[in-house]
């Protein structure tokens, strides 16, 4: 697909399944996401999982073999519903279990999936279904895009970040020598997102990461999108199904437009907060005495640092950007993405940030939100960057002392 034909195209539809008497209809909303790697048919709503088989048949044509890869922590009833839907549609069902979480996002687990595809005779005319979190789905995006030069992949996300993140931007796989460096140009052809499959725990890692992605995506998309997210924040925290459906559809549409833009400067918005998050995580991993928080809280810290740097870099627009800083801080707090108490050195964080950025590009330019809807890779002077990282480290060190049991 050429760059000229990759503009995001989304069509919002409503599909109702005929109900039994006195039973409310199952309404599944649908939109098409045209990314640079292909088109994703996205179906969101309560009861969407039951429609997987029919929807997948529409993608592959004649149902044949299907391999369902699922995380070990996926509830048995969800896997069973997927199995019934596929078998009832005529698919020959095969199954493969993964550990789930970050442990499933690496080349070794991808190799295990390749071996399972070979043993079950899965071809380019068959299908692969990923049921689980964002890490598992990302691994299967890599596998499906390279097996037989491309095999259809359907996803049934069971975490919020699986719904709002990897449908547009799959995550890179880890290899033994480096983390998050292996990424194939693949796409989820069919995404079936059912709010009923989400975990109830408010501190679930996938939930927190999904909320951080919502904030980053809203800042990148523009002030209107950010305001809509703020209005829906309480409903998202309460896991109201209707609110979640609206936000999943809207944020994936917005992020798709960014990801599919023909302008490189616009696509840079997808990097917001990520470099800082990886650098902080790297430093916390090196400090064995400190616990590493989940990826969601690390991304939230990356967003906070990036916004404050943008204020210092754009002195003439500092007053307007301060509104962005305060609004973003407030939204992150409402989403349970609290600041991370830690004891790190600014020099170490800066060195880690430089190493992370230069491992992926020859340019050391952090992504900063210069305004709502305008995130750009920016050349920040080392002294300014060090000054802000020093202030961040001091604040988090103070927070750790206050939260210490012996304080």
């Amino acid at each position: 697909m050429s760059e000229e034909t990759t503009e995001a195209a989304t069509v919002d539809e409503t599909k109702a399944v005929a109900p039994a008497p006195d039973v409310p209809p199952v309404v599944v909303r649908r939109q098409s996401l045209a990314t640079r790697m292909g088109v994703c048919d996205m179906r969101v709503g309560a009861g969407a999982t039951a429609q997987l088989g029919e929807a997948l048949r529409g993608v592959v044509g004649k149902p044949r073999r299907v391999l369902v890869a699922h995380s070990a922590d996926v509830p048995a009833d969800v896997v069973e519903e997927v199995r019934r839907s596929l078998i009832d549609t005529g698919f020959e069902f095969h199954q493969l279990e993964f550990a789930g979480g970050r442990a499933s996002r690496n080349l070794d687990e991808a190799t295990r999936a390749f071996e399972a595809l070979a043993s079950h005779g899965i071809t380019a005319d068959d299908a692969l279904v990923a049921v689980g979190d964002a890490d598992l789905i990302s691994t299967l995006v890599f596998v499906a895009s390279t097996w037989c030069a491309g095999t259809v992949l359907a996803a049934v996300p069971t975490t919020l970040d699986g719904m709002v993140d990897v449908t547009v931007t799959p995550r890179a796989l880890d290899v033994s020598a480096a983390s998050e460096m292996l990424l194939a140009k693949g796409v989820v052809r069919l995404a079936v997102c059912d709010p009923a499959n989400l975990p109830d725990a408010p501190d679930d890692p996938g939930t927190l990461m999904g909320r951080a992605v919502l904030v980053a995506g809203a800042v990148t998309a523009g002030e209107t999108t950010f305001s809509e997210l703020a209005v829906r924040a309480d409903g998202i925290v309460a896991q109201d199904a209707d609110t979640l459906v609206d936000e999943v559809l809207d944020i994936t549409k917005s992020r798709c437009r960014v990801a599919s833009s023909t302008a490189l400067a616009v696509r840079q918005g997808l990097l917001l907060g990520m470099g800082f998050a990886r650098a902080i995580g790297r430093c916390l991993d090196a400090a064995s005495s400190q616990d590493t928080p989940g990826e969601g809280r690390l991304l939230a810290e990356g967003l906070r640092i990036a916004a404050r740097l943008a204020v210092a870099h754009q002195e003439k627009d500092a007053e307007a950007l301060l509104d962005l800083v305060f609004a973003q801080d407030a939204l992150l707090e409402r989403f349970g993405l609290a600041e991370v108490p830690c004891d790190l050195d600014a020099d170490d964080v800066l060195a880690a940030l430089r190493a992370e950025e230069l491992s992926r590009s020859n340019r050391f330019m952090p992504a900063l939100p210069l305004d709502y809807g305008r995130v750009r890779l920016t050349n920040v002077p080392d002294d300014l960057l060090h000054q802000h990282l020093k202030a961040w480290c001091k604040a988090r060190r103070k927070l750790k002392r206050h939260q210490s049991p012996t304080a």
Side-chain angles (χ1 to χ4, degrees), residues 14 35 84 147 158 173 175 310 345 347:
T14 302
T35 71
R84 287 176 179 271
W147 184 255
T158 57
L173 275 62
V175 293
D345 183 80
D347 291 330

Side-chain angles (χ1 to χ4, degrees), residues 20-308:
D22 301 325
V23 177
V26 175
V27 177
V28 176
R29 297 175 61 189
R30 182 179 175 186
Q31 71 180 5
S32 179
L33 300 174
T35 71
R36 294 169 63 83
M37 282 74 73
V39 178
C40 173
D41 178 6
M42 190 172 197
R43 305 180 183 218
V44 188
T49 308
Q51 299 183 10
L52 172 65
E54 287 295 334
L56 187 57
R57 179 166 63 180
V59 177
V60 302
K62 183 178 180 180
R64 294 182 181 175
R65 291 172 290 272
V66 62
L67 175 64
V68 174
H70 65 89
S71 306
D73 57 355
V74 173
D77 60 329
V78 175
V79 178
E80 177 62 17
E81 187 175 17
V82 168
R83 187 187 73 84
R84 287 176 179 271
S85 179
L86 293 170
I87 289 179
D88 290 348
T89 314
F91 284 96
E92 178 186 318
F93 181 91
H94 301 282
Q95 190 172 339
L96 178 65
E97 184 176 292
F98 286 80
R102 188 61 179 266
S104 64
R105 182 160 50 103
N106 57 65
L107 189 57
D108 291 338
E109 292 297 276
T111 300
R112 195 161 68 88
F114 286 132
E115 292 170 349
L117 290 168
S119 65
H120 295 302
I122 304 296
T123 71
D125 297 320
D126 298 312
L128 184 59
V129 177
V131 184
D133 56 29
D135 293 308
L136 173 68
I137 297 172
S138 295
T139 298
L140 272 297
V141 169
F142 176 85
V143 170
S145 64
T146 50
W147 184 255
C148 294
T151 300
V152 169
L153 172 66
V156 183
T158 57
T159 59
L160 183 59
D161 59 341
M163 296 181 183
V164 302
D165 191 6
V166 296
T167 48
V168 178
T169 51
R171 300 173 186 174
L173 275 62
D174 298 333
V175 293
S176 57
S179 62
E180 299 184 57
M181 294 295 290
L182 197 61
L183 182 64
K185 291 185 176 181
V187 65
V188 176
R189 292 283 303 279
L190 171 66
V192 177
C193 306
D194 190 337
N197 294 336
L198 295 175
D200 295 327
D203 59 347
D204 175 77
T207 298
L208 293 179
M209 182 58 178
R211 293 174 182 174
V213 171
L214 290 179
V215 177
V219 171
T220 303
E223 190 169 4
T224 299
T225 303
F226 187 90
S227 298
E228 290 174 349
L229 176 61
V231 170
R232 293 171 178 160
D234 291 339
I236 292 171
V237 172
Q239 301 218 127
D240 176 72
D242 292 337
T243 305
L244 284 170
V245 169
D246 288 340
E247 185 57 34
V248 168
L249 288 168
D250 287 350
I251 201 65
T252 50
K253 185 189 303 183
S254 298
R255 296 185 76 241
C256 181
R257 287 176 180 150
V258 173
S260 62
S261 173
T262 56
L264 176 60
V266 175
R267 298 200 301 272
Q268 293 169 355
L270 298 173
L271 303 176
L272 180 60
M274 294 178 60
F276 293 109
R278 285 194 293 259
I280 296 168
R282 185 169 177 170
C283 291
L284 290 173
D285 287 339
S288 57
S289 61
Q290 303 187 52
D291 295 331
T292 302
E295 291 179 307
R297 292 181 66 192
L298 291 178
L299 179 55
E301 291 288 33
L303 296 176
R304 292 184 178 101
I305 295 173
R308 284 160 173 77

